[in-house]
Amino acid sequence: MMDFLKDLGIAEVNSGAYADGWIENPSGEETVSVNPATGEPIARIKNAGTDDYEAAVQAAQSAFEKWRMIPAPRRGEIVRQVGNELRKYKEPLGKLVSLEMGKILTEGEGEVQEMIDIADFAVGLSRQLYGNTMHSERPGHRMYEQWHPLGTIGIISAFNFPVAVWSWNAMIAAVCGDTMLWKPARDVPLCAIAVQNIVNRVIEPEGLGGLFCLTVGGSATVGEKMVADRRLPLISATGSCKMGRKIGQVVAERLGRSLLELGGNNAIIVMDDADLDLALRAILFGAVGTAGQRCTSTRRVFLHRKIADEVRDKLVRAYGTIRIGDPLDRDTLMGPLITPRAVDDVMNAIAEVKKEGGEILCGGNRLDRPGNFCEPTIATGRPDMAIVQEETFGPLLYVFTVDSLEEAMGHHNAVTQGLSSAIFTRNLQASEEFLSARGSDCGIANVNIGTSGAEIGGAFGGEKETGGGREAGSDSWKAYMRRQTNTINWSNELPLAQGVQFL
Ligand code: NAD
């Protein structure tokens, strides 16, 4: 066991259930966390069983009774301390993210920085949970709205952001007065256990152990229970569109709320007047960064015909220089995919490209070495090929040539997903067209910036089959609260609205 894992409280065998204290011997199955770069085991986890799930929900519900009545700025103070603990553990936690998920070290550390940033944001927000005041139409009346906590929130997270996605939800929901139960993705349980250990250093001494609860477990044992559980008024779920479709239905059936952050099929348009150096770097980071395993990864590129050959050639050349290997090595640019199955998915997509008449411009192979490695790949063909419509979660980029912005926009918006998008141009009209109501149909639309690497200050999320949810900055906090409209009559009359006369 590496020393930094011990610093994070990771043991050979770990409890995967926290309910106001670690449950010593959870009743679920035992699973092994595997290093995707080597295929070797890192540590074992005792998953949460049904009884542990029940204990966690009850702990979170009971903590809510107390937490909801603590003034929001005081709640912010707890989140401030969590942010400080995260600062202390940024290095080892970032390293664990790299080790268990496979993203390169700078991205692993960046993910923890994102947690710190959102904690800071939430602290400020704790004094700004504003409601509006309206003028009542009735004399001697005052009308306003206020925001109350919702209850215990269920957080279901994807493997590719094993710590940041939790914090986007948890830091904001905490200042909003909610308590929460987290189910992390199957392949990255140690990251969640380490985060729980870090936050415990703040919540346990304060007697707030139920504020953040954790149940590591499969979709069937824990995930589906959460989704169907009426005690969880909001399910915030990050993952594939397939998962969102299922979850959305079950939560809607019980008239609960869901906040869905699902798959993307993000594109960059490069116009003939673009700064090609910027565009190339953005495409490279967007398509190869995190081995193409970001929801915002660049999957499609539309190149204006005048610059298409040049950009394509430069991209192919740049792909040849990508250093693939151990994500913990500072020289590595691309680490492994999360599982052997993920590599299969990329290989199957490449086979599909060829079957549909497309062409592989570079890459296209699995790497013959331990771990889940494949080459970053550029393919071309027709933008309407069936495989291009799908999100293949790996380093597979499609490059197409277009003759106009209009043509590019048509292809751009023709997919079912709507997360992130970008245009590279120096032309004001092209840029405004891209951002206009008939332009990009995505939740995120950038100019001269790539599709991935959003800041936490803006609302993050996407349209269409990406699910419509918004997390992190701006007014995303409203999803974690309930709105109450209050009218106070301080007169001696009882006038009815709309001038209705009665009695
Ligand atoms: P996934 O859909 O396989 O799983 C995501 C989570 O949902 C996991 O915790 C999983 O156990 C759980 N889950 C799956 N089915 C469930 C069910 N029926 N009931 C309850 N829980 C269930 O996704 P993944 O492979 O972990 O992550 C990759 C996907 O996530 C990609 O599609 C990516 O685009 C998406 N993603 C989206 C965002 C975003 O903000 N839009 C961010 C990160 C990842």
Side-chain angles (χ1 to χ4, degrees):
M1 176 80 37
M2 291 174 249
D3 279 348
F4 81 92
L5 291 177
K6 288 188 199 141
D7 295 345
L8 293 165
I10 302 294
E12 298 285 348
V13 183
N14 302 274
S15 167
Y18 183 92
D20 195 358
W22 285 109
I23 296 176
E24 250 179 47
N25 197 13
S27 63
E29 56 170 349
E30 188 173 294
T31 51
V32 180
S33 170
V34 174
N35 178 347
T38 61
E40 286 166 2
I42 307 171
R44 289 180 285 156
I45 299 96
K46 287 281 291 174
N47 283 316
T50 308
D51 44 342
D52 308 308
Y53 170 79
E54 196 50 39
V57 174
Q58 280 179 20
Q61 291 228 289
S62 140
F64 179 64
E65 299 297 316
K66 179 174 168 188
W67 186 241
R68 65 178 162 182
M69 293 309 290
I70 294 177
R74 293 284 312 142
R75 300 194 291 246
E77 167 55 21
I78 298 294
V79 169
R80 190 185 66 78
Q81 291 178 41
V82 170
N84 283 349
E85 287 305 311
L86 288 167
R87 280 181 170 86
K88 284 187 208 155
Y89 286 93
K90 179 175 169 181
E91 201 189 320
L93 185 59
K95 207 164 170 183
L96 173 57
V97 169
S98 290
L99 180 73
E100 193 178 37
M101 184 275 159
K103 62 177 67 175
I104 58 173
L105 209 45
T106 178
E107 291 189 79
E109 288 165 355
E111 201 178 324
V112 184
Q113 185 57 48
E114 201 168 339
M115 300 176 85
I116 296 166
D117 291 345
I118 198 83
D120 286 355
F121 179 90
V123 176
L125 182 67
S126 71
R127 292 183 185 269
Q128 300 174 75
L129 301 169
Y130 300 136
N132 291 324
T133 304
M134 304 86 177
H135 283 262
S136 169
E137 68 189 41
R138 289 170 279 189
H141 282 56
R142 184 163 73 84
M143 188 157 71
Y144 70 101
E145 62 186 17
Q146 59 176 341
W147 294 84
H148 286 313
L150 264 185
T152 297
I153 308 295
I155 302 172
I156 296 175
S157 58
F159 81 85
N160 63 331
F161 276 91
V163 294
V165 163
W166 171 81
S167 69
W168 293 352
N169 287 281
M171 298 296 96
I172 304 276
V175 298
C176 289
D178 301 320
T179 58
M180 51 226 93
L181 176 60
W182 179 17
K183 189 203 93 59
R186 187 193 51 216
D187 298 309
V188 286
L190 297 178
C191 286
I193 291 167
V195 167
Q196 184 75 49
N197 279 330
I198 292 170
V199 300
N200 286 352
R201 298 165 69 91
V202 176
I203 59 176
E204 288 185 344
E206 297 277 349
L208 290 166
L211 171 53
F212 302 113
C213 292
L214 173 71
T215 47
V216 176
S219 309
T221 40
V222 174
E224 286 172 18
K225 275 203 179 57
M226 287 172 77
V227 174
D229 196 330
R230 288 176 190 278
R231 292 169 296 179
L232 307 180
L234 169 70
I235 298 292
S236 175
T238 304
S240 56
C241 297
K242 183 170 161 232
M243 171 279 273
R245 228 172 261 124
K246 269 198 203 157
I247 286 186
Q249 274 184 29
V250 179
V251 179
E253 170 73 29
R254 63 174 171 95
L255 300 180
R257 283 196 209 171
S258 50
L259 196 171
L260 299 176
E261 297 282 355
L262 311 175
N265 196 347
N266 320 294
I268 294 182
I269 297 173
V270 186
M271 297 303 292
D272 52 350
D273 61 357
D275 180 328
L276 297 187
D277 186 45
L278 288 193
L280 268 166
R281 279 159 51 198
I283 295 168
L284 216 52
F285 176 65
V288 178
T290 331
Q293 299 171 106
R294 285 192 188 215
C295 49
T296 51
S297 286
T298 308
R299 313 224 172 267
R300 300 175 298 147
V301 168
F302 299 103
L303 300 171
H304 193 282
R305 190 171 297 280
K306 285 190 189 150
I307 46 91
D309 287 349
E310 180 187 348
V311 175
R312 211 173 23 234
D313 291 350
K314 283 187 174 161
L315 261 181
V316 168
R317 239 176 289 141
Y319 265 53
T321 67
I322 300 292
R323 294 179 299 277
I324 306 169
D326 178 2
L328 294 173
D329 180 342
R330 290 265 177 207
D331 284 336
T332 301
L333 278 182
M334 194 184 105
L337 299 195
I338 187 71
T339 54
R341 164 110 188 262
V343 181
D344 292 343
D345 288 346
V346 174
M347 292 304 129
N348 290 340
I350 288 169
E352 198 56 38
V353 169
K354 293 177 186 161
K355 214 166 102 192
E356 289 194 62
E359 195 189 329
I360 304 304
L361 300 180
C362 69
N365 299 302
R366 189 188 285 271
L367 291 192
D368 186 18
R369 57 178 282 175
N372 319 316
F373 289 94
C374 67
E375 291 173 331
T377 301
I378 304 179
T380 190
R382 296 182 327 279
D384 63 352
M385 293 191 317
I387 189 65
V388 176
Q389 313 304 305
E390 286 176 29
E391 178 194 47
T392 299
F393 216 57
L396 172 59
L397 176 71
Y398 301 106
V399 178
F400 306 107
T401 302
V402 290
D403 286 300
S404 64
L405 178 57
E406 200 186 350
E407 187 193 346
M409 287 309 317
H411 296 312
H412 180 278
N413 288 349
V415 294
T416 55
Q417 311 86 344
L419 182 52
S420 187
S421 59
I423 189 168
F424 279 78
T425 181
R426 291 289 183 206
N427 181 301
L428 180 67
Q429 277 185 329
S431 139
E432 289 295 324
E433 179 72 35
F434 180 73
L435 301 176
S436 76
R438 64 181 178 197
S440 165
D441 60 3
C442 292
I444 298 167
N446 296 331
V447 177
N448 296 330
I449 299 178
T451 56
S452 69
E455 295 179 27
I456 59 110
F460 180 89
E463 300 300 328
K464 303 196 289 185
E465 291 188 9
T466 300
R470 289 298 185 276
E471 284 176 0
S474 185
D475 64 353
S476 305
W477 60 270
K478 290 179 176 169
Y480 305 90
M481 301 198 85
R482 61 185 171 89
R483 184 196 309 240
Q484 188 174 66
T485 303
N486 308 109
T487 311
I488 298 167
N489 176 7
W490 56 275
S491 75
N492 296 320
E493 309 296 326
L494 191 69
L496 300 178
Q498 293 89 43
V500 171
Q501 299 295 324
F502 197 76
L503 288 180

